[in-house]
Amino acid sequence: MSTVVAIDGPAGAGKSTVARMVADRLNYAYINTGSLYRALAYTAMTSGVAFKDITPEFLEKQKLEFRGVDLYCNGKKLESELRKPECAVGASIISALPFVRDYLLPVQRNAALDQWIVMEGRDIGTVIFPDAEKKFFVTASPEERARRRMAQGGEISGDATFESILADIKARDERDMNRAIAPLRQAEDAVLIDTTGLSIDEVVAKITSYCR
Ligand code: DC
């Protein structure tokens, strides 16, 4: 038996930090599903395969597995390389490919087998675990997300400006929300949490109180 808390939402809404803290507080395992799409984008880039040339056969050759919260691809632990801006863009591009989503569906479902888990992504409450016990849609205005990204400095290139970060966030929202398969959207039974103007602790407290 597993219990799933699904946390979905757009890029830069603070999902990862919040989901990790909620998992800690509840003593649940934590899985970041965006890292799976990023790992495939990273593997394609480092193998010299253009995103448009990714095939189901290429995917079958990759061995993706979670060992606890750590993601391994072909035996190598992937971490900081996945946070690079080009991996984020690549992940968003390849996540629109139906066979990429088909390939990652069982990887995500298997990761939740027999454990209590907080799983974070774009389609956890709508597609991966439509029967999840608790569902949250965590969002914030694009401007707020760009401000946070600018302040944190992570996942942006050295010459990034507020305007370029905002444009990147809007482009990623556009791609993630308008793809034909499993687009980013709030599940009907998900609780909407707009984090604009809220601190991380306030968001974590809100979600944990819904879960308890
Ligand atoms: O959460 P993230 O920024 O690491 O996700 C990177 C990209 O992966 C995101 O722009 C879209 C895709 N993704 C997805 O399509 N479905 C998920 N469950 C998680 C991520």
Side-chain angles (χ1 to χ4, degrees):
M1 252 293 283
S2 62
T3 292
V4 175
V5 174
I7 302 186
D8 291 306
K15 288 188 310 292
S16 301
T17 313
V18 163
R20 196 185 292 269
M21 288 172 70
V22 168
D24 270 358
R25 295 238 177 125
L26 297 174
N27 210 11
Y28 282 20
Y30 163 69
I31 294 280
N32 172 342
T33 60
S35 61
L36 292 167
Y37 294 87
R38 287 169 185 256
L40 291 180
Y42 173 78
T43 305
M45 286 190 284
T46 49
S47 312
V49 176
F51 297 140
K52 66 174 177 33
D53 296 330
I54 293 179
T55 58
E57 293 70 32
F58 173 79
L59 296 182
E60 287 310 325
K61 286 192 207 125
Q62 315 307 323
K63 188 167 185 291
L64 273 182
E65 56 177 332
F66 282 107
R67 298 185 197 162
V69 291
D70 297 327
L71 178 63
Y72 283 75
C73 185
N74 304 321
K76 178 178 177 327
K77 183 171 161 183
L78 296 180
E79 288 181 293
S80 54
E81 45 280 76
L82 299 185
R83 309 262 63 88
K84 294 189 172 153
E86 57 271 31
C87 263
V89 173
S92 179
I93 293 172
I94 67 165
S95 69
L97 298 170
F99 57 86
V100 167
R101 305 204 75 86
D102 287 348
Y103 172 80
L104 290 179
L105 187 115
V107 178
Q108 293 167 89
R109 290 200 177 145
N110 289 339
L113 282 183
D114 294 327
Q115 57 178 342
W116 293 11
I117 195 162
V118 175
M119 191 173 275
E120 170 228 323
R122 301 290 188 288
D123 62 341
I124 309 307
T126 50
V127 176
I128 307 298
F129 288 107
D131 297 328
E133 283 72 10
K134 301 282 180 215
K135 298 182 187 179
F136 300 93
F137 193 81
V138 174
T139 188
S141 69
E143 289 75 14
E144 169 93 2
R145 289 185 275 141
R147 263 193 298 277
R148 288 182 193 162
R149 200 141 267 189
M150 186 100 189
Q152 287 158 1
E155 224 178 88
I156 54 175
S157 53
D159 55 355
T161 59
F162 176 77
E163 285 69 29
S164 70
I165 298 171
L166 181 60
D168 283 351
I169 282 188
K170 286 185 173 169
R172 199 126 83 86
D173 282 358
E174 175 74 18
R175 260 197 312 272
D176 292 351
M177 292 192 306
N178 293 309
R179 64 178 176 234
I181 299 166
L184 168 66
R185 65 175 178 80
Q186 183 183 343
E188 275 172 19
D189 49 351
V191 176
L192 174 66
I193 311 237
D194 186 340
T195 69
T196 312
L198 294 183
S199 71
I200 288 175
D201 283 337
E202 286 170 324
V203 178
V204 172
K206 237 180 210 264
I207 295 184
T208 354
S209 75
Y210 273 109
C211 292
R212 282 195 167 127

